[in-house]
Amino acid sequence: MGNTSSMLTQYDIEEVQEHCKHAFTQQEIVSLYQRFCQLDRNKCGFISSDEFMSIPEFAVNPLSNSLLRMLEGFNFKEFVAFLSAFSPRASLQNKIEFIFKVYDTDCNGKVTFDDLLRTLQDLTGQFMSHQQREEVLTQVLEEAGYNKDSFLVLSDFMKILGNSGLKMEVEVPVD
């Protein structure tokens, strides 16, 4: 599986299915493998940030820099696990864990006000001033029972988003 020129065996497919908690069918994994091979232009078994940025939908995503931090040097199994958060079969917990990783910009297991502010800045760009972003975040945190000095851990995200009816599904083009 490390060498992208080889084909997936049934064992590889089942291993990847297990790794992504059955978010994809076997046929979807085969299709994702074909897409992975297309993206892996160097044929080294890993996808670089430049290769990810060659996906137009990814390149225009305002969170692409945060996502790239999570992606650099992914092998096929990690690639599928990353995409599994967007599968309709992924559990709510998996989706929330993914969102937490996006917001945890320094990868310390805590989401601070500054982490939230950076992500909101990525999402809003020049459409909101820094002061507007701070005001919105302060209000949202207060409504959730937190303040500007609080930090959120994964269990906080679970509590806040757990009953939100969160939908996080995208179509991943594999052809």
Side-chain angles (χ1 to χ4, degrees):
M1 213 169 18
N3 180 356
T4 59
S5 63
S6 65
M7 290 304 299
L8 290 175
T9 65
Q10 183 64 32
Y11 175 80
D12 292 333
I13 294 168
E14 290 170 5
E15 182 182 358
V16 170
Q17 263 191 312
E18 212 37 58
H19 187 70
C20 73
K21 299 175 182 163
H22 296 275
F24 296 110
T25 65
Q26 289 190 8
Q27 183 54 46
E28 288 170 328
I29 289 172
V30 170
S31 295
L32 286 170
Y33 185 71
Q34 291 167 349
R35 182 68 171 133
F36 178 86
C37 291
Q38 291 170 350
L39 291 170
D40 182 18
R41 292 186 305 256
N42 299 337
K43 306 297 180 217
C44 64
F46 293 89
I47 298 177
S48 70
S49 57
D50 289 340
E51 289 165 332
F52 267 106
M53 291 306 279
S54 72
I55 304 169
E57 297 85 359
F58 188 81
V60 299
N61 186 317
L63 294 176
S64 61
N65 287 332
S66 295
L67 295 171
L68 279 177
R69 176 184 44 78
M70 297 166 56
L71 294 174
E72 185 58 39
F74 266 26
N75 65 27
F76 177 65
K77 193 190 303 188
E78 294 161 335
F79 172 75
V80 173
F82 171 79
L83 292 176
S84 69
F86 299 100
S87 168
R89 291 181 212 92
S91 70
L92 180 60
Q93 180 173 340
N94 288 353
K95 293 175 188 285
I96 293 171
E97 287 171 0
F98 179 87
I99 292 169
F100 182 81
K101 289 177 186 175
V102 171
Y103 280 89
D104 184 13
T105 58
D106 55 5
C107 303
N108 68 352
K110 300 175 187 172
V111 174
T112 64
F113 185 80
D114 288 338
D115 291 330
L116 293 168
L117 199 56
R118 271 190 293 276
T119 303
L120 186 57
Q121 181 175 344
D122 289 345
L123 289 169
T124 62
Q126 298 176 16
F127 296 107
M128 287 179 82
S129 70
H130 183 76
Q131 181 179 349
Q132 288 171 318
R133 283 189 286 270
E134 281 195 6
E135 289 171 4
V136 166
L137 280 179
T138 300
Q139 183 177 349
V140 168
L141 285 172
E142 286 174 359
E143 286 176 9
Y146 300 92
N147 63 48
K148 193 174 177 176
D149 297 324
S150 300
F151 63 85
L152 307 174
V153 294
L154 181 58
S155 61
D156 295 318
F157 266 61
M158 292 292 186
K159 184 174 87 176
I160 293 167
L161 296 173
N163 296 319
S164 66
L166 177 68
K167 297 276 189 230
M168 220 174 83
E169 298 170 13
V170 296
E171 184 176 325
V172 180
V174 291
D175 296 325

